[in-house]
Each structure stands twice: as C-alpha cells, then as structure tokens.
Amino acid sequence: MGKPTGFMEFQRVNEGYEPVELRVKDYREFVAHLSDSGAKQQGARCMDCGIPFCNSGCPVNNIIPDWNDLVYRGNWKQALDVLHSTNNFPEVTGRICPAPCEAACTLNINNDAVGIKSIEHAIIDKGGENGWVVPQPAKKKTGKKVAVVGSGPAGLAAAQQLARVGHSVTVFEKNSRIGGLLRYGIPDFKLDKRLIDWRMAQLAAEGVKFQTNTFVGKDASGKGIVNDAKKTISPKELQKQFDAVILAGGAEQPRDLPAPGRNLQGVHYALEFLIPQNKQVAGEGNNPINVHGKHVVVIGGGDTGSDCVGTSNRHGAASITQIEVMPRAPDQENGPLTWPYWPLKLRTSSSHEEGCERDWAISTKEFIGENGVLKAIKAVRVEFKDGKMVEIAGSEFELKADFVFLAMGFTNPLAQVLDAFGVEKDARGNAKATTDGPGCYQTSVKKVFAAGDMRRGQSLVVWAIREGRQAARAVDEYLMGSSVLPR
C-alpha cells in the first residue's frame, strides 16, 4: 500500500478526451492515458484491502493492488510484469473493458472507485513506448500441435499461452486479417487496429502461425458476419493433423427483430454498418452504407448500439436516436445493495456525448417504407407488470428513420462449425463444456475444446481472455499430463 491516507487525500481523476468537435472528424483514438503523476496519484488511492474485491470482480483476476502500488512507487516495468501475469492483452482491456473491477472496488461503496482501468491503460502504453513488451518464446518444444479456430481474444490468448510452453500452435481465421471482432466489430476510435498488429507480431515471434482466409467446417459460403474464406478445411482433417483443437470463434448470430417491414432497404444489423466502416478505415474499400445527412435510429442500448452512434456521428448524420425496450436505469446505483457486483445504472458513453437522443421502454412494432425504402418506424411505449412487458394504450408513435441499425446482441456462435465437428450444444446453442474439474473446456468430441463466446455465448472481451487462458491450461494438461500454466 503506497500511501495509507491516499484515498482520503486524492480524488479520482479520469482520462482526458479530445473535444467532440475535433474527434468526430476522423476515426483516431481520442482518449489520452494518464500522465505519470496522474497514474501515481490514482495508485495512491488504492487501499490494498484485506480482501481485494477488485481481484474477484475482474474476470482475469488481475492482481490490481500490487500494480497500483508499483505505479505509485514508480516501478513501471515491474507493474507491467504483474499486469501481464494475468492478462495477455491489457492494451485491449485498458481501452474497451467496462471495468467490473472498479464496480467491486471498496472505495466504490461510498466514493469514486480507484481509476483501475486508467492505470492499466497507462501501464501498457508505457510498456509499449519503452519496448518492454517483447516475445517470450518457449525454451524447448514439446512436439505437440494445437489448432485454434478463431482469432478473437479467446483464440489469441489460448494460442499465446500454449506457444509459451512449447506447443506448435496454428490459428485458423476465416477472414483476411487476424483479430476477430476486435478487428472487425469495434470502431477504430475505440481500439486502434495497430495494437492488434503489434501484439500479433509478438505472437508470431513466439512461434504462433496464422492461417487466414480459411473456414473450418463443411462449406465456407455465406457463413458468419464477415467471411473472406478462400479455403475450407474439414474438422476431420484438422483433427488428423493436430493433437488438440480449440474452438474459439465469436457469437456471430445477431438477434433479429422480425417486425413487418424488416426487409425494407435501410434496415440493417449493426455489424453490417460497423464492419465495412472498419474495413474502409483500413483501406479495404468503401462502406456501402453512408448515413451522412440521414435520420438514424439505433435499436438496442448496449456497446454495439453505442458504436453505431459514434460511427453515425462521424458520418455526419442529420439525427441519431437510440431506443431500447428496457426501462431507463437509475442515474446512480444502489451501492449498499449491489456492491461488489456489477450495478444497474444509466451508462453514458463517449459516443452518446457526441450527440444522440436516447429513449427507453419502447417496442418497435413496424418498419414503414415507400417503394421498398425505409421512411420511419412505428413504435409503442411499454411497461413491465408482473414480470411481463405490456403496451401502454394510446402511446403509439412514429419516428422518422432513413436507416435503422439492429444492435440487440448476439444469440449464439456459428452452428455450422459446431455441427461440422459434431459437438454437443447446450440449450442456447453454445458448445457444451465445463469450466472446472477434470476435462474442463473439453467438448463431447475427443481432443476438441471450446472457449470464449463459442462456449459461454456473447460476453465481454475480458471473459474471452480468461477462457482462452484457462482452455490453454486444460489443453496443456490433456497433452502433457500436467501444466505450469496459470488458471
């Protein structure tokens, strides 16, 4: 504990944002990490609690009080080592994780939590600036070969862990570039894609091989949110070539809204807008959807919806309205009731602050069009009674809309992949596998494992990293009889 009285002396200081009028002109990251002195001050606020609830609040169990103290003392390189001991990709989580660790911070009971995420961001950026993030190749090879299907955070975390203990790892990706939805789903203004390339270079130097444009299954045509596959490899062939296989694809089936008029021109899944925009920023053609001067409605109140808002602002939309069916959350959580768990409260993103009308407790009844083109939506206000959603009589209204983006989450991973392997699925369509005990992360098919969204369904990046790491340990134990990899 760097400064016993720090939590009483210092207030939380948030990271700085570029002004709205400047940042909406392009797709660059606009968040400035804390200065050394600012990070030190935030580290001083950590109380090094007897029971550090932040550790358990964090899915990867980051050893947060330790690196807070090290930053306070100026031991940045050691802080980076501690951070990397639990998290393969802090440059990602330090930018896009919603920070459940901060919700669990003891200070959060009656004060502002320690700025844990901002300290993490500062540590990894300093590590990159000083060249401290270097390859850690295995000292000797095991002779075992592992295939990882999917190059999102779960797949890459598993690949890195397995390569570092000497296994030969090949990552298969159906798209032309590595990164999964980190690459294709998250806008560049939230996550600069150079960071993925930077970490990929480290993995490659550690011996991980990447095979892109390759779909693992029976038929590559039309499968998945993005699919650049030029080659198909069958599960049988993969199982023959490798000693173990990890299925680590994302939850790629978006939730639909089958209201009348769903097929009108202008109604799209969110990622049909976001993915081409990411490709355009990367120099891979133009986004066929341009909302400049148009009226945009985003249906769904989560991060994907927020990303649609931010991207629409950068296009120069005439208006942006985000609606969701759930009632408006309270502005302030009930700390004594919810702490240390993730609280229900209204969350306003940087994209919302750039310009957006928000409304709650609204159900979309119909998409209205002329000559096959969307013009408006018909909606109704709803309320929840006895656990059921009911429409409020007389509350129907129309909302002008040239484009509607459906951002209501994802239901399950690609059934084509799981079915091709013959993997048993759970009730939600995910690969069925446990997370503890003998045989954890193993599917019903011999030597085939599953992790991340493929096993647990749509979730956070930090959960994907955790599952990738734990699946890597399970595979190492399966192949070698024991493992030195951390859980």
Side-chain angles (χ1 to χ4, degrees):
M1 185 176 183
K3 190 171 179 59
T5 57
F7 72 98
M8 296 187 291
E9 297 177 32
F10 306 120
Q11 297 301 309
R12 179 186 172 105
V13 176
N14 294 316
E15 295 173 313
Y17 286 2
E18 192 175 56
V20 168
E21 61 270 18
L22 294 179
R23 70 184 193 233
V24 296
K25 294 179 179 179
D26 55 48
Y27 292 84
R28 295 179 298 107
E29 284 189 359
F30 54 82
V31 179
H33 63 68
L34 295 177
S35 64
D36 288 9
S37 60
K40 176 179 179 177
Q41 190 176 100
Q42 279 305 293
R45 297 184 70 232
C46 178
M47 298 185 288
D48 193 14
C49 309
I51 299 176
F53 289 94
C54 56
N55 286 19
S56 56
C58 171
V60 293
N61 303 124
N62 277 331
I63 312 170
I64 294 163
D66 290 38
W67 42 258
N68 281 344
D69 178 66
L70 289 165
V71 167
Y72 171 76
R73 299 179 186 281
N75 296 330
W76 287 89
K77 193 172 187 301
Q78 191 177 351
L80 179 65
D81 291 340
V82 174
L83 177 55
H84 268 144
S85 71
T86 56
N87 187 352
N88 296 71
F89 313 124
E91 68 279 4
V92 175
T93 53
R95 286 167 165 80
I96 65 171
C97 181
C101 55
E102 294 187 12
C105 174
T106 303
L107 268 182
N108 198 48
I109 297 175
N110 60 357
N111 202 333
D112 291 329
V114 173
I116 298 168
K117 179 180 172 182
S118 63
I119 298 173
E120 179 181 12
H121 186 181
I123 292 171
I124 185 58
D125 278 14
K126 183 171 283 290
E129 292 161 5
N130 287 279
W132 296 337
V133 181
V134 296
Q136 300 176 37
K139 294 180 180 179
K140 63 179 182 178
K141 289 289 189 178
T142 64
K144 302 293 186 180
K145 297 168 64 179
V146 181
V148 177
V149 181
S151 69
L156 293 181
Q160 183 164 60
Q161 294 295 95
L162 288 166
R164 287 179 173 179
V165 290
H167 302 307
S168 296
V169 183
T170 302
V171 176
F172 292 87
E173 170 58 54
K174 68 181 182 297
N175 299 312
S176 59
R177 297 194 181 194
I178 295 296
L181 287 178
L182 294 179
R183 171 84 63 184
Y184 291 103
I186 299 172
D188 286 69
F189 56 81
K190 287 177 64 176
L191 181 67
D192 191 323
K193 302 308 180 282
R194 68 174 177 81
L195 295 167
I196 302 174
D197 298 333
W198 174 59
R199 189 62 76 168
M200 271 181 58
Q202 183 194 33
L203 268 69
E206 292 171 349
V208 177
K209 297 177 181 178
F210 300 102
Q211 186 167 323
T212 57
N213 299 111
T214 304
F215 183 83
V216 177
K218 293 179 180 178
D219 177 17
S221 61
K223 304 297 190 292
I225 298 172
V226 187
N227 189 358
D228 304 321
K230 298 175 182 177
K231 177 183 177 182
T232 301
I233 185 169
S234 71
K236 187 177 293 186
E237 185 179 351
L238 210 63
Q239 289 166 287
K240 183 178 179 181
Q241 293 180 17
F242 293 88
D243 299 295
V245 178
I246 299 177
L247 304 181
E252 295 196 42
Q253 185 60 52
R255 186 171 283 108
D256 204 353
L257 205 170
R262 169 63 179 87
N263 294 324
L264 288 169
Q265 180 182 327
V267 184
H268 300 274
Y269 289 123
L271 290 181
E272 292 176 338
F273 177 46
L274 298 176
I275 290 171
Q277 188 61 51
N278 282 1
K279 287 191 166 189
Q280 179 176 318
V281 173
E284 299 179 29
N286 292 323
N287 189 345
I289 301 174
N290 189 328
V291 302
H292 178 76
K294 303 296 184 180
H295 298 281
V296 174
V297 174
V298 179
I299 301 178
D303 289 338
T304 304
S306 173
D307 293 344
C308 288
V309 170
T311 303
S312 297
N313 275 316
R314 282 156 180 77
H315 275 218
S319 70
I320 307 169
T321 305
Q322 185 178 24
I323 61 176
E324 62 176 294
V325 73
M326 298 301 293
R328 177 182 171 127
D331 290 334
Q332 185 65 40
E333 72 268 32
N334 186 336
L337 177 66
T338 61
W339 182 88
Y341 302 108
W342 187 248
L344 175 66
K345 70 174 183 178
L346 182 65
R347 301 178 191 278
T348 300
S349 73
S350 57
S351 292
H352 294 139
E353 293 168 350
E354 292 165 2
C356 173
E357 293 294 326
R358 304 169 72 187
D359 209 342
W360 293 265
I362 292 174
S363 176
T364 303
K365 294 182 67 83
E366 182 182 354
F367 300 102
I368 303 170
E370 293 178 8
N371 301 318
V373 179
L374 178 72
K375 294 298 181 183
I377 66 168
K378 181 183 291 185
V380 63
R381 298 196 177 274
V382 297
E383 60 184 347
F384 288 83
K385 291 183 177 179
D386 300 322
K388 295 181 179 180
M389 184 182 75
V390 295
E391 297 181 3
I392 298 175
S395 67
E396 285 193 2
F397 65 97
E398 289 188 8
L399 188 61
K400 189 173 183 179
D402 300 305
F403 287 93
V404 166
F405 298 120
L406 306 179
M408 303 172 294
F410 301 85
T411 57
N412 51 267
L414 281 181
Q416 292 88 352
V417 175
L418 298 181
D419 291 344
F421 276 91
V423 167
E424 184 181 352
K425 292 181 281 189
D426 64 18
R428 297 183 299 155
N430 305 317
K432 190 173 183 180
T434 62
T435 59
D436 53 20
C440 62
Y441 290 94
Q442 291 190 45
T443 69
S444 58
V445 178
K446 185 179 180 182
K447 74 178 184 181
V448 177
F449 295 72
D453 287 5
M454 190 70 82
R455 192 204 67 81
R456 66 180 287 122
Q458 178 194 5
S459 193
L460 303 175
V461 165
V462 69
W463 272 108
I465 295 172
R466 172 196 174 103
E467 294 226 340
R469 288 171 62 88
Q470 292 190 340
R473 178 184 170 91
V475 168
D476 192 34
E477 288 179 335
Y478 171 79
L479 295 175
M480 309 302 292
S482 62
S483 179
V484 297
L485 289 172
R487 279 186 58 84

